Amino acid sequence: MEPGATTSIPDWTCGPRARRDPVRSVADGWVSRIKISPWGYGKAVYIDHPDGHTSVYGHLQQLKGPVAKACLDAQYRQRDFSIDITPEKGAIPVKQGGSSP
C-alpha cells in the first residue's frame, strides 16, 4: 500500500477466536492512537473524526493492514510488546464502514 493511501475498514477484528467479527469505523477519520497493553483495553485503536469526536475500539483480537504495520514497527523499535503511539494526523486514514481490500 502506498503511503497516505486510504485505508478501508476492517483493519482489526474483535470477538471469540471461532468468530472474528470485523470492526468498522463509525465515521470517516484517521487513526490517532494505537495502544497495546496487557491491561485495560489490550489492543486498542483510536480514530479521530473531522467533527472533533474520537471513537475508541478496544479488546481487539488482531490488527491488520497499516494499523498492524505501525504497531509492529513501534514494537520492534521500542523492543517492547506494550506500546502507545500517536501517528501523524491523516497518516492512517479510515473510511466509514467499508471492507478490507
Side-chain angles (χ1 to χ4, degrees):
M1 180 173 270
E2 297 177 26
T6 301
T7 304
S8 298
I9 299 299
D11 270 339
W12 44 82
T13 58
C14 183
R17 287 178 194 235
R19 190 178 122 225
R20 290 192 171 142
D21 297 324
V23 175
R24 301 182 187 278
S25 179
V26 296
D28 291 354
W30 57 92
V31 175
S32 59
R33 183 179 185 195
I34 303 168
K35 183 169 180 169
I36 310 295
S37 171
W39 302 280
Y41 282 130
K43 291 183 177 93
V45 175
Y46 295 67
I47 298 177
D48 284 352
H49 304 284
D51 66 1
H53 287 91
T54 300
S55 54
V56 181
Y57 305 85
H59 304 292
L60 303 171
Q61 291 290 326
Q62 68 182 113
L63 305 176
K64 294 181 180 178
V67 174
K69 183 179 179 339
C71 172
L72 195 58
D73 289 350
Q75 288 173 322
Y76 277 115
R77 209 173 30 255
Q78 297 176 21
R79 297 181 180 176
D80 196 347
F81 170 79
S82 297
I83 59 160
D84 189 352
I85 60 173
T86 53
E88 283 187 38
K89 180 178 179 177
I92 308 175
V94 296
K95 292 283 186 189
Q96 179 178 1
S99 59
S100 287

